[in-house]
Amino acid sequence: MSSNNWSLLGHHKELNLNYFQAFHAAHSYPRHSHDYYVVAVVDRGLQSFSFATTKFVTPINGLILLNPGEMHTGEPVNELGFGYSAFYPTVEHIRTTLQELPGSAAIPAFAVPRADDMQMAGAVRSLHAALRNNESSLEVESKFLWTLVELIRRFGDRKPAEQKIGYEHLAVKKMRRYIEENYARAISLSELAEYVHLSRYYLLHLFRNETGMPPHTYLETVRVQQAQRLLAKGQPLPDVAYQVGFGSQSHFTHRFKKIIGITPGEYAKQLKQ
């Protein structure tokens, strides 16, 4: 990769989802189309693209939303170039997601090719980071589903019916207990949904509504709590990371510090003082 132009294509095996990140100082995409949806957010600079008879300009945090088969270009506005992050859901991704939502028989299309929505720009970046960093199955699946449904709700030409969220304390209690009993292994959103007999999207809304956080954040919190107990017993850091379910020492350190404020090593050292 040169210093001026670089690109990275990734594939998430479990989701069967391609994602892409690039910076282009001079490269221009000719008019073309895809057989999948394009969801992109500009991270740096100014991007422009021609769509039908209109030329759009996309600033930092601007969203690009394209449907399968739609012809478009893509180029930097000036010599400073532009960087962006994208993921490419297929029609099958959309169909599978809509099966869980009420009143969603027809496959929707994005009604606009360009949109400005800071919350969704953040959601796309957060999903992209989770895909790149190979985060837990629960986190990646949750962020993908949440982002996809919210994009359809806000920018689709066919809106899924609103689903009223109740206060089903027993279901949330069961999910929390299940996470607490299985924190050391990979837990998927589909697994949780099957356990409590709810759709994945309804589960996400319900869990967040009652606990203030999505299931993957709760799982992370439980893992860090368990790690604190093991560190207090003097167990070695690599053993603790493995026992509580983190895939690597660096991942464990990052998440522990994010929640506790210091690294696991610093935490263990201070306990000995």
Side-chain angles (χ1 to χ4, degrees):
M1 295 186 292
S2 73
S3 58
N4 292 327
N5 297 278
W6 58 267
S7 60
L8 175 66
L9 175 66
H11 178 76
H12 193 274
K13 187 175 180 180
E14 290 180 28
L15 293 179
N16 192 27
L17 177 69
N18 289 336
Y19 56 95
F20 188 70
Q21 193 171 34
F23 177 79
H24 298 310
H27 178 73
S28 296
Y29 294 100
R31 192 171 290 274
H32 66 289
S33 66
H34 307 283
D35 60 357
Y36 45 77
Y37 295 84
V38 174
V39 177
V41 60
V42 171
D43 301 317
R44 174 182 171 190
L46 278 174
Q47 185 262 15
S48 71
F49 67 100
S50 296
F51 177 88
T53 59
T54 304
K55 193 173 187 70
F56 293 90
V57 174
T58 316
I60 295 174
N61 296 318
L63 294 170
I64 302 167
L65 305 169
L66 300 171
N67 301 301
E70 291 184 334
M71 302 296 293
H72 61 282
T73 65
E75 56 277 332
V77 169
N78 53 43
E79 68 279 0
L80 297 178
F82 73 97
Y84 70 106
S85 301
F87 70 96
Y88 306 125
T90 64
V91 172
E92 186 57 33
H93 284 128
I94 302 293
R95 180 181 292 111
T96 301
T97 298
L98 291 179
Q99 287 174 354
E100 303 185 21
L101 303 176
S104 306
I107 300 297
F110 291 125
V112 293
R114 259 283 291 122
D116 294 294
D117 187 313
M118 286 297 294
Q119 185 180 24
M120 293 314 302
V124 172
R125 284 203 184 93
S126 182
L127 168 61
H128 210 279
L131 291 166
R132 293 196 314 270
N133 298 330
N134 196 28
E135 300 293 4
S136 70
S137 298
L138 182 58
E139 180 171 352
V140 173
E141 188 181 1
S142 298
K143 288 184 174 181
F144 177 59
L145 177 66
W146 184 272
T147 302
L148 203 55
V149 172
E150 286 304 307
L151 286 168
I152 293 170
R153 286 193 185 280
R154 299 182 192 206
F155 307 114
D157 61 351
R158 299 181 182 91
K159 312 289 186 185
E162 291 293 330
Q163 191 168 13
K164 188 176 181 180
I165 303 300
Y167 288 86
E168 301 180 29
H169 300 286
L170 181 59
V172 173
K173 185 177 181 179
K174 286 179 65 176
M175 281 187 277
R176 292 177 62 170
R177 185 171 64 246
Y178 190 85
I179 290 171
E180 290 160 4
E181 292 174 351
N182 296 276
Y183 67 87
R185 64 174 183 81
I187 302 172
S188 71
L189 186 63
S190 300
E191 179 183 344
L192 270 181
E194 183 177 349
Y195 181 68
V196 293
H197 308 292
L198 296 173
S199 74
R200 294 177 304 159
Y201 186 70
Y202 185 81
L203 180 158
L204 282 175
H205 261 292
L206 180 65
F207 198 94
R208 186 191 292 263
N209 204 43
E210 292 203 26
T211 67
M213 65 181 73
H216 67 265
T217 301
Y218 187 73
L219 171 62
E220 194 171 272
T221 300
V222 171
R223 285 176 169 173
V224 169
Q225 289 173 350
Q226 294 297 328
Q228 287 178 280
R229 295 186 181 100
L230 294 175
L231 290 171
K233 294 178 181 179
Q235 295 202 24
L237 296 183
D239 292 350
V240 172
Y242 174 76
Q243 287 183 60
V244 300
F246 286 101
S248 68
Q249 181 76 40
S250 61
H251 192 192
F252 169 49
T253 299
H254 174 73
R255 294 308 174 103
F256 190 96
K257 184 175 182 179
K258 181 180 177 182
I259 292 175
I260 304 302
I262 57 177
T263 67
E266 292 168 339
Y267 184 84
K269 184 177 179 181
Q270 291 182 21
L271 287 178
K272 295 178 181 179
Q273 293 178 354

